Amino acid sequence: MEIWEAMERENHVTERGLVPVNGGSNVQAQHEHGGANQMDGGFVHRGQSCRYASSDIPSDMLVKVGGVNFHLHKHPMISRCGRLARLVDEASSLHGPDAITVIELPDLPGGHSAFELAAKFCYGVVVNITAANVAALRCAAEYLEMSEELEEGNLASRAEAFLSYVVASSWRDSVAVLRSCGGDGEESLLPWADDLQIVRRCAESVAAKACTNPRAVRWPYAGSSSRTPSPARPSSSNGGGGRQPAPPPPDWWVDDMCTLRIDHFVRVVTAVQAKGMRANLVGAAITWYSSKWLLLNDDKESSAASASRGRHGSAPWPGHAGGGALQMVLAGGEGDDTQSTETAASEQRRVVESLISIIPRQKDSVSCSFLLRLLRLAVALKAAPALVTEVEKLAGAQLDQATLADILVPSTSYPYAGLPSSATAAYDVDLVQRLVEQFVVQEQSSPSSSSPSRGKEKQEQSTRAQRVACLVDAYLTEVSRDRNLALGKFQALAESVPEQVRPCHDALYRAVDAYLKAHPAAGEHERKRLCRAVDCGRLSREARAHAARNERLPVRVAVRVLLSEQEKMAGGRAGRKEKEEEVVVALRMEVESVSAKYMELQREVELLQRQVERLLPPLSSAVAGRQQQQSVSGWASGLKKLGRLGRIQVEQPAVAAAAAPGETVSREHRRRRNSAS
């Protein structure tokens, strides 16, 4: 309690709240009891907890709002505030009309700052309505019932007109109003801002402008002055003489959205999706927002978040502690404030759950790496199981894009300080197995197509499956060194990948060998179970050689490796023999094809000869006989040559194999005899 207030009560000063009138605002006035008065728009501020209306008339009403006492007068207040008029009537009926009325308004939206603006309006002081205070004024006016029924042009209608005609048409004002609706505690405007549709209208206005063609963006936005200037392009409006800058990028609106609190950001993203914005742009906004306000175990993103916080100069919501708070939540330790830790964890969990709920369900809208980091954070913060399952489905569908570092998720029960317990695995193998199962199920349930591109799609699907198999084998090799990893979990993860997608089992064999090396106490039965996942027939020659000498493998597995090696060698000899037979069959088929073509040509020649004979005029018998004889002898000679050529090609292998010198002489003799004839 201020000293001067105690002195007033002791002296029974009847003119409580009497303040001399001083012209102008922001004028220092010295009270008779000492201390300075700060004049501000017709109100005198004394300290942080007292406000006086500047008037010669003593105040007859005390209003307490958010720890601040307002010494006011009944008449100007009740003439424009329906709620205060009711409360004053109730107090007057109890204590009499001359008693000083004390009213407490602990739940007034906007707190004491909004009430001070409303009180100034009631006293006739000009109140400058801006985008920063219009939401608070509108909510406070609704709470105080400052409607048109009491006076025309009351505060509620003026604030509503500013929202409808000024804020709705301005990008910057709409964003500013959304920011002003994000206060917590006594400054919070919720749920009044929601009930009055302020958040919804501003979110839809922002979404409509965000979906505008970037070429039509003419208003300033966050980062517009700091972006690298784009090459200028000619302007068609002035005949090409002038030049104007290139349009902003499609994600120009993201920086402004990342300054909003999470529930308002969700409203905007939902409205943007409803208006048909591309899923990759929505995913980019979600990724950038999370990189600013969440710690996703990435140094680059953490530094980007720190830089962005420094650029905007404010946190997204009061009480948010950023990455350091999340580290405190996960690590814990002695001396930590339990209540603040729980609050930080609750805020982080709310952000994570909200972001998961608005991620587009289209594939590749966000990266698999981001999904896995978000999943890791959701598991650590114990988010809702349904949302964790949803992000597992999204990440599983894109598991072929993941890296080994992405899926090395620490187990939630693994201690973050000190040595690991004797029964807890260091990594969450069950989570990775669920991701693999999601990938396999979604790949198998993908719709089949009869289009010509089906073959290409199947090839891409096979390639993705092979990448996942390689990723799982690398993961098994990494976690196999954990002595607390149960054999059943290792085996289940190894067998979760279909056999046909592993063309080579060398990586899986190395993982199994590393597990057996880290678990020397494993029994014979357990080693046999573990080695069932390895197909010895799909090992390379080096891997088979290593397995044949590996003493950690069961004897039956070593024998199976040796048998596989023998089958490979026998298969190689059989393969060479089959290849020679295939060559002989191919040559035989080629000779048969040549013979068939020869017969066809012979038929065509005979047909052409008959047609020529029908077209030519008749000749004398001598000439006709001589021409016929020459034609027949020519055709016979040609046919003999073709027949001899075909016979030589067919019989050449046999003749070359069994020819004798005598036969060579006889062929030459026959050749000379034919030429003589």
Side-chain angles (χ1 to χ4, degrees):
M1 184 67 64
E2 299 263 352
I3 297 177
W4 66 273
E5 291 184 358
M7 293 176 63
E8 281 183 341
R9 284 199 305 272
E10 292 175 359
N11 297 330
H12 302 286
V13 179
T14 57
E15 295 181 353
R16 181 179 298 177
L18 179 61
V19 177
V21 178
N22 296 292
S25 60
N26 298 327
V27 178
Q28 296 287 341
Q30 188 72 24
H31 195 270
E32 60 180 354
H33 296 293
N37 294 330
Q38 182 75 27
M39 182 73 70
D40 182 14
F43 276 73
V44 177
H45 292 198
R46 174 168 290 277
Q48 298 295 328
S49 60
C50 289
R51 306 286 188 271
Y52 292 90
S54 178
S55 174
D56 291 334
I57 304 174
S59 62
D60 55 359
M61 182 172 63
L62 175 63
V63 181
K64 298 180 179 181
V65 181
V68 179
N69 298 330
F70 290 87
H71 297 269
L72 306 172
H73 302 84
K74 294 179 182 179
H75 177 70
M77 296 302 297
I78 65 177
S79 62
R80 294 187 177 182
C81 300
R83 180 184 286 262
L84 293 182
R86 259 194 341 270
L87 294 176
V88 168
D89 290 342
E90 294 175 1
S92 298
S93 62
L94 294 176
H95 306 289
D98 297 331
I100 295 178
T101 303
V102 179
I103 298 174
E104 295 186 7
L105 303 175
D107 54 347
L108 187 143
H112 62 85
S113 57
F115 181 78
E116 183 174 353
L117 292 175
K120 289 180 179 179
F121 181 84
C122 293
Y123 275 87
V125 178
V126 176
V127 176
N128 186 21
I129 301 179
T130 64
N133 63 19
V134 64
L137 287 175
R138 179 67 183 91
C139 295
E142 188 70 19
Y143 178 88
L144 296 172
E145 300 176 10
M146 301 176 68
S147 61
E148 294 292 298
E149 298 177 357
L150 297 178
E151 183 176 322
E152 185 178 357
N154 212 342
L155 182 59
S157 61
R158 295 193 180 188
E160 186 66 31
F162 188 87
L163 284 170
S164 301
Y165 296 103
V166 178
V167 174
S169 60
S170 171
W171 166 266
R172 178 173 290 180
D173 290 346
S174 298
V175 175
V177 171
L178 286 175
R179 290 176 189 166
S180 67
C181 294
D184 285 342
E186 65 182 24
E187 300 292 333
S188 176
L189 301 181
L190 302 176
W192 292 88
D194 284 333
D195 295 340
L196 295 173
Q197 305 295 322
I198 297 176
V199 176
R200 181 189 63 78
R201 286 183 290 173
C202 291
E204 290 182 353
S205 174
V206 167
K209 293 179 176 61
C211 295
T212 303
N213 189 340
R215 296 180 180 274
V217 174
R218 297 291 182 269
W219 50 83
Y221 55 90
S224 58
S225 59
S226 62
R227 290 183 183 270
T228 304
S230 303
R233 56 184 175 86
S235 176
S236 59
S237 60
N238 52 7
R243 300 178 69 85
Q244 60 184 11
D251 61 345
W252 60 269
W253 55 279
V254 173
D255 284 341
D256 280 318
M257 295 303 98
C258 291
T259 61
L260 304 178
R261 56 180 283 156
I262 183 60
D263 49 353
H264 298 161
F265 177 77
V266 170
R267 288 281 190 92
V268 173
V269 171
T270 304
V272 164
Q273 288 178 315
K275 293 183 180 298
M277 178 170 284
R278 297 201 310 268
N280 61 335
L281 293 179
V282 177
I286 296 173
T287 303
W288 180 235
Y289 187 92
S290 61
S291 68
K292 289 187 62 178
W293 308 122
L294 293 176
L295 180 68
L296 295 177
N297 296 328
D298 193 309
D299 294 337
K300 294 181 180 180
E301 291 188 352
S302 300
S303 60
S306 301
S308 62
R309 278 192 289 270
R311 183 173 70 249
H312 293 290
S314 63
W317 58 87
H320 174 73
L326 181 61
Q327 287 181 339
M328 180 178 64
V329 171
L330 298 181
E334 297 181 359
D336 291 337
D337 188 354
T338 305
Q339 184 176 1
S340 62
T341 301
E342 292 178 355
T343 303
S346 176
E347 289 290 340
Q348 292 280 305
R349 187 185 308 112
R350 185 166 67 94
V351 174
V352 170
E353 291 177 348
S354 300
L355 291 178
I356 293 175
S357 64
I358 60 175
I359 292 177
R361 295 311 182 248
Q362 291 86 345
K363 191 175 181 181
D364 297 329
S365 59
V366 292
S367 66
C368 182
S369 178
F370 167 74
L371 289 172
L372 290 173
R373 283 176 285 163
L374 192 63
L375 176 61
R376 179 184 303 184
L377 193 55
V379 172
L381 293 172
K382 296 181 174 59
L387 295 175
V388 173
T389 303
E390 188 64 30
V391 75
E392 284 180 2
K393 291 181 180 179
L394 296 174
Q398 303 173 211
L399 190 60
D400 58 298
Q401 305 170 8
T403 62
L404 178 59
D406 294 333
I407 62 175
L408 286 174
V409 181
S411 177
T412 54
S413 57
Y414 188 80
Y416 289 91
L419 297 176
S421 62
S422 58
T424 303
Y427 296 103
D428 195 346
V429 181
D430 296 332
L431 175 61
V432 178
Q433 183 178 352
R434 291 196 298 270
L435 292 175
V436 175
E437 291 174 353
Q438 290 288 349
F439 176 82
V440 173
V441 168
Q442 296 191 40
E443 287 294 312
Q444 292 177 352
S445 62
S446 58
S448 59
S449 173
S450 59
S451 60
S453 61
R454 176 59 180 166
K456 184 178 179 180
E457 293 177 0
K458 290 188 68 175
Q459 184 178 1
E460 293 177 354
Q461 185 176 1
S462 176
T463 304
R464 290 195 301 268
Q466 290 179 8
R467 284 200 293 263
V468 171
C470 294
L471 179 65
V472 171
D473 293 343
Y475 180 82
L476 290 172
T477 304
E478 184 68 25
V479 302
S480 61
R481 304 182 183 93
D482 184 9
R483 297 182 180 274
N484 297 323
L485 179 60
L487 184 142
K489 292 185 177 182
F490 185 94
Q491 181 184 3
L493 180 57
E495 296 176 351
S496 62
V497 179
E499 296 182 1
Q500 63 271 15
V501 302
R502 275 195 182 107
C504 182
H505 280 216
D506 286 4
L508 181 60
Y509 167 72
R510 284 194 295 269
V512 170
D513 183 53
Y515 185 88
L516 293 177
K517 186 177 181 179
H519 300 78
E524 183 73 14
H525 178 67
E526 293 178 343
R527 288 186 290 166
K528 288 180 181 179
R529 282 178 51 198
L530 190 61
C531 294
R532 279 205 305 258
V534 181
D535 187 357
C536 299
R538 298 186 183 183
L539 295 176
S540 63
R541 179 173 297 179
E542 293 78 7
R544 290 197 300 269
H546 183 276
R549 299 188 303 268
N550 194 347
E551 297 179 354
R552 288 183 291 271
L553 296 180
V555 178
R556 180 177 298 179
V557 176
V559 172
R560 198 165 66 220
V561 171
L562 293 175
L563 292 176
S564 175
E565 182 68 21
Q566 292 179 358
E567 291 177 359
K568 290 281 185 180
M569 296 175 62
R573 290 193 295 269
R576 287 194 297 271
K577 185 176 180 180
E578 291 178 357
K579 188 175 182 180
E580 293 175 357
E581 293 178 354
E582 290 177 357
V583 171
V584 173
V585 171
L587 290 174
R588 188 175 301 168
M589 293 178 63
E590 186 176 357
V591 170
E592 292 177 356
S593 176
V594 171
S595 300
K597 290 181 179 179
Y598 165 72
M599 298 300 296
E600 185 178 356
L601 287 173
Q602 186 177 4
R603 287 194 297 270
E604 291 180 357
V605 167
E606 293 176 355
L607 179 61
L608 289 173
Q609 183 178 2
R610 288 194 297 268
Q611 291 179 356
V612 169
E613 290 176 353
R614 286 197 300 269
L615 294 175
L616 291 177
L619 300 176
S620 60
S621 58
V623 176
R626 189 165 53 252
Q627 289 182 356
Q628 183 176 6
Q629 184 178 2
Q630 291 177 357
S631 176
V632 170
S633 61
W635 282 107
S637 176
L639 292 176
K640 284 181 180 181
K641 290 180 180 180
L642 289 175
R644 188 164 56 252
L645 177 61
R647 188 166 55 253
I648 290 173
Q649 291 179 350
V650 174
E651 297 176 356
Q652 185 175 1
V655 173
E663 294 177 355
T664 304
V665 174
S666 63
R667 282 199 301 273
E668 293 178 355
H669 177 69
R670 284 196 300 272
R671 210 176 287 121
R672 287 196 299 271
R673 184 179 60 197
N674 291 337
S675 62
S677 62

